[in-house]
Amino acid sequence: MQDSRRSLLWWAVGIALYTVMLLAFFPLLKGNTALGDLMQSLPESLRALAGDNLGTPAGYVGGKLLSMMPILLTVFAALQGSALIAGQEERGWLEFPLAQPLPRATLLLGRAAALLTMLLVLGLVLFLSIWLAGQVFQAPLPAGRLLGAVALHTLGAWLFGALALAIGAATGRGGLAVGVGAGLGIGLVVLQSVASQVQLLSDLAWLNPWKYALSDLPLEHAVSPTPLLICLLLGGALVWIAAPMFGKRDVRG
């Protein structure tokens, strides 16, 4: 985490500034019924991307701000996940940690815990930025609902960051790890945005971790702990599966 502190700091600053910038425009849209009527006239696929009612705090934050967070957080998680093992191996920085009297599986678990911690830090920054800026820019949101929505986005990104970490540990190929982790995460965001228009995707939407963050309106309805727990455990399972492969393969110095 100390090696990644500067990257984490700049991502946190960027997310905070992005949040404040978007919420600063909300007073111009607040209570605008004409905008709500316009959004209702759009096709359902476009409403799924932009939100149904941008004139309310929940509609604006969910449609304009949080709709981008799966992509941003997934990119961060995949980049960090691939860098923690495969990236350091490619740079020749993994030789010293592996020379210590520490099992490789323990090293991998420690890196996974660091990745999860960094994502939770970004999630906390996102939550505080939205909640505080909402008080300033006339977009107050219930803290409990907002925390649940942010948790869905954060743990959803953890799943794809853990996938990148696992692939990097199993293969030592950082490019492959970040490509698969980020590509799958972003691809599932796109699929979820059009799921309502395709019957097969709609029937299988429960398998998509972004369904609960993007389509279940977590700012308006209570968040179930089930998808949170599933994402957390699936990410841990991916790392656990990769541990034996990381332990057996030859690591480049």
Side-chain angles (χ1 to χ4, degrees), residues 30-196:
K30 184 178 181 180
N32 191 325
T33 57
L35 180 61
D37 294 339
L38 174 63
M39 297 304 298
Q40 290 297 327
S41 68
L42 294 176
E44 186 175 351
S45 58
L46 291 179
R47 294 204 309 270
L49 289 173
D52 284 334
N53 190 355
L54 299 182
T56 66
Y60 185 81
V61 171
K64 293 291 288 182
L65 200 161
L66 289 181
S67 61
M68 287 297 298
M69 284 302 127
I71 295 175
L72 295 177
L73 292 175
T74 294
V75 170
F76 172 84
L79 288 172
Q80 291 292 340
S82 67
L84 286 171
I85 294 292
Q88 292 204 355
E89 181 179 350
E90 290 174 345
R91 292 173 174 82
W93 297 349
L94 201 59
E95 184 176 358
F96 179 73
L98 291 179
Q100 308 305 307
L102 183 72
R104 287 191 183 184
T106 303
L107 176 68
L108 180 59
L109 289 176
R111 301 291 169 100
L115 174 63
L116 179 58
T117 301
M118 287 188 284
L119 281 168
L120 291 177
V121 169
L122 285 188
L124 178 61
V125 170
L126 179 61
F127 167 77
L128 292 175
S129 299
I130 296 175
W131 190 79
L132 292 173
Q135 309 302 313
V136 175
F137 297 113
Q138 306 172 37
L141 289 167
R145 298 271 175 87
L146 178 58
L147 184 61
V150 170
L152 285 173
H153 288 77
T154 303
L155 291 181
W158 149 251
L159 179 58
F160 301 104
L163 175 61
L165 176 63
I167 293 175
T171 66
R173 299 173 61 186
L176 175 66
V178 72
V180 174
L184 182 60
I186 295 173
L188 289 176
V189 172
V190 175
L191 287 180
Q192 184 55 40
S193 69
V194 299
S196 60

